[in-house]
Amino acid sequence: MHIQDTHWASASAVVPGGTAVGGAMTAAAGNGRGNGARTTPLRVDAQRNLEHVLRAAREVFGELGYGAPMEDVARRARVGVGTVYRRFPSKDVLVRRIAEEETSRLTDQARTALGQEDEPWSALSRFLRTSVASGAGRLLPPQVLRVGVSEDGGDAVAEEPRVPQQRSRPGNGELRLVSGQPVASAEDDAGAAALLDVVGQLVERARAAGELRPDVSVSDVLLVIATAAPSLPDAAQQAAASARLLDILLEGLRSRPA
């Protein structure tokens, strides 16, 4: 029996690969999170299948965007599509699980850079290099990349943010979560807010030290991560292209003496 994928019904956002998706992250069902969470450990084979599905989903969505079908995930995981749907009843749930994990990973990387680098520019560049090298940009949650744009092409400021506005001068494409999108849980909002907050601290420190252009916002930094993580068939070429592109983007972020 063919099971129809569920699409995100809310406002859409563009993610790496050009795929439009929308909505906010929610806890995955039947995988130890949210409603219907298991109270007993998974069998060894079931746990192995879950790990294969999650690994395959990260690879497929990283290469093709979040619009890739569940059948592609199943083929990459070498399991039947029914197995994928037993663990994740819709593609929406699987996408949100992957986005939630990516948000947590990026937040950890930013906190590490903030805590281990005393020099502000070193901290920011370390976070960017670590995140890009891990391929994080291809799996950034859509809502943290939303930057409001007005009809005349300028940066919009009308939308109410779900989290406090990040430290940036007005009118510079301030990053925000988009109001009106359904949010499954306070935990999801808290995860995105934590990422925005810690990256905001990195940005503020580098700006206060005069090492970051004053017009650079948190959204710009996250867009650098998304831009500098191309998906290429050859791993060595991909790593070289990412490193080269990030060097260029970092030069563009740095302030220059008047």
Side-chain angles (χ1 to χ4, degrees), residues 24-254:
M25 297 173 290
T26 188
N31 58 2
R33 299 167 182 254
N35 295 332
R38 291 177 177 271
T39 56
T40 57
L42 292 172
R43 298 192 318 271
V44 172
D45 57 340
Q47 179 63 37
R48 184 167 54 247
N49 283 342
L50 174 60
E51 291 170 357
H52 288 169
V53 168
L54 289 172
R55 184 183 307 112
R58 282 189 288 269
E59 293 174 357
V60 170
F61 293 148
E63 294 168 9
L64 305 177
Y66 281 127
M70 293 282 263
E71 287 79 5
D72 283 4
V73 174
R75 280 193 292 270
R76 185 72 62 92
R78 297 184 178 180
V79 299
V81 71
T83 298
V84 179
Y85 277 108
R86 278 195 295 274
R87 302 302 307 141
F88 302 95
S90 73
K91 191 177 82 172
D92 184 43
V93 174
L94 177 57
V95 165
R96 290 170 178 174
R97 168 69 180 267
I98 298 299
E100 177 187 297
E101 291 181 349
E102 200 61 24
T103 299
S104 178
R105 179 165 68 148
L106 281 169
T107 303
D108 288 343
Q109 291 172 348
R111 284 175 176 155
T112 297
L114 193 63
Q116 296 184 1
E117 294 287 348
D118 293 330
E119 201 277 320
W121 178 256
S122 295
L124 180 60
S125 60
R126 171 176 173 166
F127 166 62
L128 287 170
R129 291 188 186 283
T130 301
S131 299
V132 169
S134 69
R138 294 188 293 275
L139 292 169
L140 274 170
Q143 70 271 24
V144 302
L145 285 174
R146 288 298 295 271
V147 180
V149 178
S150 63
E151 292 182 359
D152 62 2
D155 296 316
V157 295
E159 291 177 316
E160 288 296 324
R162 286 191 176 277
V163 297
Q165 290 191 354
Q166 299 303 302
R167 304 164 181 86
S168 174
R169 294 185 177 183
N172 286 321
E174 186 55 57
L175 186 71
R176 64 194 70 236
L177 296 185
V178 179
S179 71
Q181 291 184 345
V183 177
S185 70
E187 181 181 355
D188 294 332
D189 254 357
L195 173 61
L196 299 179
D197 180 71
V198 70
V199 176
Q201 293 179 53
L202 288 167
V203 168
E204 184 177 20
R205 285 180 60 198
R207 186 188 295 132
E211 296 179 299
L212 183 69
R213 282 172 41 179
D215 61 332
V216 172
S217 67
V218 177
S219 57
D220 296 323
V221 171
L222 293 178
L223 286 170
V224 165
I225 296 173
T227 303
S231 180
L232 300 175
D234 181 82
Q237 288 182 349
Q238 179 172 299
S242 291
R244 172 64 176 160
L245 182 55
L246 182 56
D247 284 341
I248 294 171
L249 292 172
L250 282 171
E251 282 300 306
L253 294 178
R254 295 201 75 163

